[in-house]
């Protein structure tokens, strides 16, 4: 075709005919291809399996009796629950980087929370955008650099705030009145209503809750006020039977949880001067609601003056109630987005995923926080609804990891991930035809030591039955037989009975390190 602005009538007719043929071919292709599903990725921060009613854990009956996660349960019932879903590095930023890139931390460059995400590398949202998806990121990002690969983004700065949070958008920073979980839900719904309806979409709706320091919304300040949350068997773990790091951490509820910030035992907020952080952001009405709820509780605490184990028990109850109040508000907003999809008639052609960046300790081993390769923090909740593909009520047992999310979503969108990606698409698992060569072990590497919480750096491998952990800076090992010791309180490392298992797992750990191109262990100090 001529570039000249002046074209002959013959050239014009030829060009018109050619483009008409091309257009009808394109229309035919679109009509023939199954329409590509939308993807709604609902995500949260530090949400444990134990506090989702769809998971069979020690708290399941408590969660469901108090109707704390009806919408997550609804999502699970309409699709599938992954029972063995793991992170590769149990920390906020590293898990997010692994999800976006499909790579372990050493390869995507985001090893700990002092890292800065390199947004120039290949990511799943970029691949979906290139495949014609409209992409949107709303909520907690936590990767320091600005999001790339999104047509629309509005994110919390860093950890963000629960009350009257600031948001960063390409246009600048603005402060929004209200409660962060509700505001993220509002923003997700607003985007769903104003998106370009000619394109399939990826919506990543990422909540801050239930991250420390667990500030519930005003409507739930008294939720569970008169109830007792069941204690875990290991609330008073003495860390015998483990390597030194378990007893050297700084995440014990009894010792390390702060009374003022974490548990809100503080003077009245109304009329107080010098308030900092979240409390300084509150409106007068919000402070009044807080004083009304916390005043009587704090008076009762002062009167009872618990000490020793009684104080740990009091702190556990106060912590769990705050955590669950945040979870309840999170669940409300999962439900609002699900309802919006139904209202827009999108249910049948939308894949809905719920996950959290890692698991969390709800008093197991006496702890809060995450980081360890032990089950509670290695595990990530993962619920997936995909009408026509995932059978309702499925329980998936194959081991999956957060590095699998990028290749999975890319395959759902009909695009492809580069061969360098470490993860593997779980689409065949979802279709009920798990490949025979599916992974039988997962690799783990946690780096951030000593801050925060003083959890020693470690690598490890988990198989169907066993878990080997290597604290490489101090050359210490643990081996758990998860069938016999699901709570991981008695390492069998070095026991003659397990010598063969131990040797096999060391080979497997090295095999995985080689497969993923891991960097060599640093020399001991
Ligand atoms: Ca987190």
């Amino acid at each position: 075709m001529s570039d000249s602005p002046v074209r002959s009538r013959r050239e014009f007719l030829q060009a018109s005919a050619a483009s008409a043929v091309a257009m009808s071919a394109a229309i035919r292709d679109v009509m023939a291809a199954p329409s590509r599903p939308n993807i709604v990725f609902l995500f949260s921060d530090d949400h444990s399996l134990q506090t989702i009613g769809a998971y069979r854990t020690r708290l399941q009956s408590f969660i469901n009796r108090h109707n704390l996660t009806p919408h997550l349960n609804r999502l699970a019932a309409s699709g599938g629950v992954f029972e063995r879903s793991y992170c590769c590095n149990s920390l906020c930023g590293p898990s997010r980087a692994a999800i976006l890139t499909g790579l372990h931390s050493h390869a995507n460059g985001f090893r700990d929370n002092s890292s800065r995400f390199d947004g120039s590398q290949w990511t799943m949202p970029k691949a979906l955008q290139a495949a014609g998806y409209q992409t949107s990121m709303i909520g907690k990002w936590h990767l320091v650099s600005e999001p790339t690969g999104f047509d629309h983004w509005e994110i919390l700065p860093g950890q963000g705030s629960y009350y009257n949070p600031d948001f960063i958008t390409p246009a600048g920073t603005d402060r929004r009145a209200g409660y962060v979980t509700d505001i993220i839900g509002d923003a997700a719904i607003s985007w769903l209503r104003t998106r370009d309806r000619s394109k399939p979409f990826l919506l990543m709706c990422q909540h801050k809750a239930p991250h420390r320091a667990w500030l519930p919304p005003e409507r739930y300040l008294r939720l569970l006020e008169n109830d007792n949350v069941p204690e875990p068997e290991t609330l008073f773990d003495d860390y015998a039977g483990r390597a030194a790091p378990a007893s050297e951490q700084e995440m014990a509820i009894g010792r390390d949880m702060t009374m003022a910030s974490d548990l809100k035992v503080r003077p009245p907020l109304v009329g107080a001067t010098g308030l900092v952080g979240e409390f300084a952001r509150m409106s007068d009405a919000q402070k009044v609601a807080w004083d009304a709820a916390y005043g009587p509780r704090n008076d009762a605490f002062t009167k009872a003056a618990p000490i020793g184990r009684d104080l740990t028990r009091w702190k556990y109850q106060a912590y769990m109630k705050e955590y669950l109040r945040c979870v309840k508000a999170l669940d409300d907003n999962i439900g609002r987005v699900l309802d919006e999809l139904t209202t827009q008639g999108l249910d049948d052609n939308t894949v809905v995923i719920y996950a959290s960046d890692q698991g969390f300790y709800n008093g197991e081993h006496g702890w809060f926080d995450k980081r360890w390769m032990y089950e509670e923090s290695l595990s990530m909740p993962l619920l997936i609804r995909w009408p026509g593909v995932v059978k309702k009520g499925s329980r998936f047992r194959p081991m999956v990891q957060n590095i699998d999310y990028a290749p999975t979503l890319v395959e759902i969108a009909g695009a492809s991930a580069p061969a360098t990606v470490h993860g593997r698409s779980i689409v065949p698992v979802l279709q009920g035809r798990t490949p025979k060569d599916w992974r039988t072990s997962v690799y783990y590497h946690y780096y951030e030591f000593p801050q925060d919480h003083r959890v020693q750096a470690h690598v490890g491998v988990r198989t169907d039955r066993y878990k080997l952990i290597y604290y490489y800076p101090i050359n210490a090992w643990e081996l758990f037989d998860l069938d016999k010791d699901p709570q991981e309180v008695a390492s069998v490392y070095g026991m003659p009975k397990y010598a063969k298992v131990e040797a096999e797992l060391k080979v497997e750990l090295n095999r995985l390190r080689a497969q993923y191109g891991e960097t060599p262990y640093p020399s001991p100090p």
Side-chain angles (χ1 to χ4, degrees), residues 67-82:
N67 199 31
L68 298 177
T69 62
H71 300 296
L72 287 167
N73 292 6
R74 161 160 69 116
L75 176 60
S78 63
V81 175
F82 277 80

Side-chain angles (χ1 to χ4, degrees), residues 100-405:
L100 292 174
T101 62
L103 293 171
H104 280 281
S105 306
H106 66 275
N108 68 45
F110 206 105
R111 289 178 174 79
D112 58 41
N113 278 342
S114 64
S115 303
R116 179 186 178 86
F117 187 66
D118 171 11
S120 71
Q121 64 190 307
W122 180 90
T123 65
M124 172 271 293
K126 285 185 195 172
L128 265 62
Q129 201 175 34
Y133 272 62
Q134 195 183 6
T135 58
S136 175
M137 163 67 222
I138 293 168
K140 186 174 173 186
W141 172 247
H142 206 240
L143 290 171
V144 187
S145 57
E146 283 191 352
T148 58
F150 294 98
D151 299 309
H152 173 93
W153 56 268
E154 44 190 314
I155 59 172
L156 299 171
Q159 298 282 6
S161 304
Y162 275 107
Y163 274 74
N164 311 322
D166 292 338
F167 277 78
I168 308 172
T169 72
T173 301
D174 62 297
R175 183 167 294 192
R176 303 183 192 176
Y179 185 68
V180 70
T181 309
D182 299 333
I183 295 170
I184 291 171
D186 290 342
I189 290 167
S190 169
W191 184 81
L192 283 169
R193 289 177 182 171
T194 54
R195 72 199 152 83
D196 174 356
R197 299 196 181 209
S198 69
K199 293 179 176 178
F201 65 85
L202 164 71
L203 166 62
M204 300 184 80
C205 174
Q206 306 197 161
H207 287 281
K208 165 186 172 62
H211 192 278
R212 192 185 187 190
W214 315 293
L215 276 78
E218 291 154 80
R219 65 181 178 280
Y220 292 138
L221 289 175
R222 294 169 185 272
L223 182 72
L224 304 172
E225 196 172 41
N226 299 313
D227 295 288
N228 258 321
V229 184
E231 290 177 2
E233 284 174 42
T234 57
L235 183 59
F236 298 102
D237 195 338
D238 62 3
Y239 314 115
R242 259 97 4 119
S247 56
E248 293 171 351
Q249 43 60 42
E250 294 172 354
M251 57 169 71
I253 290 173
R255 182 191 58 212
D256 302 315
M257 192 165 266
T258 65
M259 297 302 278
S261 170
D262 292 332
L263 304 175
K264 292 88 178 182
V265 178
R266 56 168 57 246
L269 299 172
V270 175
T273 55
L275 291 175
V276 295
E278 295 276 1
F279 300 107
R281 305 175 76 91
M282 286 182 178
S283 67
D284 288 345
Q286 288 164 342
K287 288 176 186 168
V288 167
W290 273 63
D291 282 347
Y294 288 81
R297 186 204 66 167
N298 290 347
D299 289 346
F301 171 76
T302 307
K303 208 170 162 188
I307 54 167
R309 287 195 168 195
D310 287 343
L311 178 59
T312 298
R313 292 201 152 102
W314 185 90
K315 288 172 111 176
Y316 170 77
Q317 291 299 329
Y319 155 51
M320 286 305 296
K321 289 175 188 180
E322 296 292 60
Y323 187 91
L324 291 169
R325 289 161 184 158
C326 293
V327 166
K328 177 70 174 167
L330 168 68
D331 188 80
D332 290 346
N333 283 282
I334 299 296
R336 292 178 65 216
V337 171
L338 294 179
D339 290 346
E340 180 64 22
L341 296 174
T342 304
T343 301
Q344 291 195 24
L346 296 174
D347 283 347
D348 288 345
N349 197 34
T350 301
V351 179
V352 181
I353 298 169
Y354 177 75
S356 186
D357 55 359
Q358 2 72 209
F360 210 70
Y361 295 94
N362 293 135
E364 299 85 1
H365 305 296
W367 296 339
F368 59 102
D369 211 69
K370 55 259 184 180
R371 299 163 195 272
W372 303 92
M373 199 192 168
Y374 302 137
E375 289 295 276
E376 289 82 0
S377 47
L378 175 66
S379 298
M380 294 169 70
L382 181 60
L383 313 175
I384 301 186
R385 179 173 87 189
W386 188 358
V389 175
V390 175
K391 281 190 198 142
K392 286 182 185 178
S394 299
R395 309 292 297 196
F396 294 106
R397 293 287 292 166
M399 290 196 284
V400 300
Q401 211 167 9
N402 51 356
I403 53 171
D404 299 332
Y405 295 15

Side-chain angles (χ1 to χ4, degrees), residues 44-47 91-93 96 140 211 356-359 370:
S44 64
D45 199 327
D46 293 0
H47 191 191
L91 203 55
C92 303
R96 287 149 206 268
K140 186 174 173 186
H211 192 278
S356 186
D357 55 359
Q358 2 72 209
K370 55 259 184 180

